[in-house]
Amino acid sequence: MTERLPDPDFLDLVKPFTGPVTEMRPTERGFMSDVLVLIDGGIGRFFVKGVRNRTGGRRDSLVRERLINRFVRPVSPRLCWHTENDRWMALGFEQVAGRPSRFEPGSPDLPAVLDLLGRIGEIPLPTLAADWHETRWDAFAADASEARLFRGDSLIHGDVAPGNLLVGTEDSWAVDWAWPTRGAGLIDPSCLVLQLIAAGHSPEGAETLVAQNPAWSKSAPQAIDAFARAGLRMYHQRAERYPEQTWLRDMEATAQAWVDHRSA
């Protein structure tokens, strides 16, 4: 199988839902998937994600993305179908006319990005997500009391990045709900602050932009401080562990700049 392009068995699996394939284009979004492809077929046009059907994280993330879709449709493309066999599991989403957003200072996408983040925060926590507690930052908190600051009843996307927030001429979408969780409302806005700093904003400027987000504005400063420090520890550990991934060192520097700003 060519990287991220489906093999014949995968195409046979999805053909009943796509119809005869007239065009197929790879896409770079979503690094946890084995197959990422835009398919134009006799039945419709779909963005298709696929993973090997093996017990573990990738399969679990696709199951979770399938389950959450009907609750996040106010901000996300609609899941049209899902299917699996012994080798593959696949999700077929509607194609949307959007592109990855741009986060740099002066980007015309910033109002849409901030609006989209606010719309995510307005989605009620679905009952099925009640036990999907956010724990990804717990190991990097200073202690258990700080980790408890990351708990809450908000639905968390957890991967706020330009490639996951798509903008179009008339709408915007949050995609790649691979691991939605239940947590503190500060988490997604805090992730955006880091991304804005990485894109060239000053820490103060990034926080000023995100200050309009209701979940951020209602969060205790000490909780945001704890999350910023946890993020710095996380990127430091990962940069040490994977030195060949130079972007991790860049994100460590970004996280350090944010912590320094909040400590000043």
Side-chain angles (χ1 to χ4, degrees):
M1 182 183 70
T2 303
E3 185 178 4
R4 299 214 165 191
L5 288 176
D7 64 16
D9 184 49
F10 186 92
L11 289 176
D12 287 343
L13 173 66
V14 304
K15 188 175 179 179
F17 304 93
T18 66
V21 175
T22 57
E23 186 176 357
M24 184 166 56
R25 306 178 301 282
T27 176
E28 289 302 316
R29 296 204 310 269
F31 294 99
M32 288 300 291
S33 299
D34 297 306
V35 171
L36 286 167
V37 67
L38 296 166
I39 292 180
D40 294 353
I43 296 176
R45 305 174 69 240
F46 306 99
F47 170 59
V48 181
K49 298 180 69 170
V51 297
R52 299 284 184 180
N53 199 351
R54 303 166 181 159
T55 301
R58 290 193 176 191
R59 185 188 190 281
D60 291 348
S61 72
L62 215 65
V63 170
R64 192 172 285 202
E65 187 165 7
R66 172 176 64 82
L67 293 173
I68 203 66
N69 181 260
R70 67 188 180 98
F71 299 100
V72 300
R73 285 182 188 172
V75 298
S76 177
R78 178 174 61 92
L79 177 65
C80 302
W81 48 263
H82 63 92
T83 184
E84 64 181 291
N85 61 17
D86 290 342
R87 292 189 61 219
W88 291 103
M89 174 181 288
L91 303 181
F93 296 89
E94 63 177 334
Q95 286 190 33
V96 295
R99 56 167 176 79
S101 52
R102 299 177 61 178
F103 285 5
E104 70 270 16
S107 168
D109 298 343
L110 292 176
V113 167
L114 293 166
D115 176 70
L116 187 55
L117 200 71
R119 289 160 58 201
I120 293 173
E122 293 172 355
I123 299 173
L125 182 74
T127 301
L128 67 86
D131 294 327
W132 295 354
H133 296 288
E134 179 55 70
T135 60
R136 281 171 283 194
W137 285 269
D138 285 12
F140 305 100
D143 51 39
S145 63
E146 279 200 355
R148 284 194 291 272
L149 297 174
F150 309 153
R151 300 289 181 269
D153 295 322
S154 295
L155 179 65
I156 305 301
H157 182 285
D159 192 10
V160 176
N164 290 337
L165 301 182
L166 306 184
V167 296
T169 56
E170 298 181 357
D171 207 348
S172 57
W173 303 267
V175 300
D176 200 11
W177 287 83
W179 208 251
T181 56
R182 172 186 181 179
L186 65 90
I187 292 176
D188 279 344
S190 295
C191 291
L192 179 58
V193 169
L194 271 177
Q195 290 288 331
L196 291 172
I197 298 171
H201 295 261
S202 68
E204 181 180 11
E207 288 193 345
T208 298
L209 283 170
V210 176
Q212 63 186 271
N213 182 274
W216 170 274
S217 64
K218 295 174 184 176
S219 297
Q222 62 266 33
I224 299 173
D225 291 343
F227 189 83
R229 292 190 298 266
L232 175 57
R233 297 185 192 104
M234 179 186 72
Y235 282 115
H236 175 74
Q237 183 187 95
R238 292 180 179 176
E240 290 289 310
R241 186 174 181 182
Y242 304 106
E244 73 282 0
Q245 300 288 334
T246 56
W247 69 273
L248 288 170
R249 193 64 73 185
D250 293 339
M251 287 305 298
E252 181 187 4
T254 296
Q256 183 69 66
W258 189 28
V259 168
D260 290 345
H261 167 72
R262 295 196 64 83
S263 301

